Amino acid sequence: MSGVTHSTTPTADVVLPCLDEAAALPWVLGRVPAGWRAIVVDNGSRDGSADLARSLGATVVHEARRGFGAACHAGLAAAEADLVCFCDCDASLDPGLLPGLAAAVRDGGADLVLGRRRPQGRGTWPVHARLGNAALARMVRRRTGLRLHDLGPLRVARREALLGLGLTDRRSGYPLEMVVRAADAGWRVTETDVPYLPRTGRSKVTGTWRGTWRAVRDMRAVLRAPAAGPAGPSVAPEGTAR
């Protein structure tokens, strides 16, 4: 049975950035694989998310600085396991799928694995958000050569290698910066299909045209930044997936 754990040596840590997600937390935390640790990063919730997550067995980290990247990086800093996973906390993505993504990293077949979102049902992924994501994927291909279709939040990599990337964005550009810097460092970056479910509650980023525009603006700034210096994964790659 899936569930969070307080093991001192978790198989993997699952970082869950959280802002008012009390309605989704029971399902999300109930889907975290057994033996894995859920790190819920509370980013200023007012609906009791932090207390609920703690009562459900999650490790709770508080990040006062608002921003998706700030929450994600706080979770990465708190992680202790070799493998670190990231997943949205709104029940749109199933943490129970993470072992499949993690296997490629653990077995040495990839250095960063992304979940390519496949919408389940009409309205799951708003048109404006999908168009923005597709435009960014094209820009990433031009910038890095990576043939990705999605820059989704479900992903897995090794903790020490991620810290070595020196990620600096603390807003919506964080997931993109991770991919770009990984590509610059020669990581093998792959993606695998995952179902994208109707989210629980209101989207804080892509639920509106304005939110989507802000996210695209943040990500364009990441793409304009000069290439970072080498920061290879813990195991030297044989070639980046293109």
Side-chain angles (χ1 to χ4, degrees):
M1 181 176 178
S2 298
V4 298
T5 178
H6 286 297
S7 170
T8 56
T9 55
T11 302
D13 282 325
V14 184
V15 176
L16 297 157
C18 176
L19 177 58
D20 294 329
E21 304 289 6
L25 276 169
W27 184 86
V28 172
L29 294 178
R31 297 291 299 165
V32 172
W36 294 34
R37 181 173 65 148
I39 302 177
V40 173
V41 184
D42 184 67
N43 203 206
S45 298
R46 297 182 178 181
D47 66 348
S49 288
D51 290 339
L52 176 60
R54 193 177 291 109
S55 73
L56 292 171
T59 295
V60 176
V61 173
H62 293 277
E63 173 53 57
R65 181 177 177 181
R66 283 292 184 94
F68 182 77
C72 286
H73 205 72
L76 174 60
E80 299 175 352
D82 178 40
L83 293 180
V84 177
C85 311
F86 296 85
C87 181
D88 275 355
C89 204
D90 59 8
S92 63
L93 293 163
D94 185 355
L97 300 174
L98 285 168
L101 278 68
V105 177
R106 181 179 292 111
D107 297 342
D111 301 304
L112 173 62
V113 180
L114 310 176
R116 179 184 180 185
R117 291 169 289 184
R118 294 294 197 175
Q120 307 295 300
R122 177 175 294 183
T124 299
W125 200 352
V127 172
H128 57 269
R130 194 178 306 192
L131 291 174
N133 185 75
L136 286 167
R138 289 194 296 271
M139 288 188 278
V140 168
R141 181 176 300 185
R142 289 196 298 267
R143 166 66 173 75
T144 68
L146 291 173
R147 296 183 177 276
L148 300 174
H149 300 85
D150 188 15
L151 300 171
L154 194 71
R155 51 187 61 195
V156 183
R158 294 190 183 276
R159 180 175 63 89
E160 290 297 330
L162 284 170
L163 290 170
L165 291 178
L167 303 177
T168 59
D169 191 282
R170 295 297 181 264
R171 290 162 50 106
S172 300
Y174 187 87
L176 175 61
E177 185 185 26
M178 184 186 297
V179 172
V180 170
R181 291 208 175 192
D184 288 346
W187 289 26
R188 296 160 297 177
V189 182
T190 64
E191 61 182 7
T192 186
D193 289 356
V194 296
Y196 191 42
L197 310 171
R199 62 161 290 130
T200 298
R202 180 181 60 85
S203 173
K204 286 77 175 177
V205 178
T206 58
T208 65
W209 280 98
R210 184 177 182 182
T212 299
W213 178 83
R214 285 178 174 173
V216 171
R217 180 193 60 188
D218 290 346
M219 293 182 183
R220 280 178 173 168
V222 170
L223 291 170
R224 287 195 298 266
S234 55
V235 178
E238 297 177 359
T240 304
R242 300 286 180 178

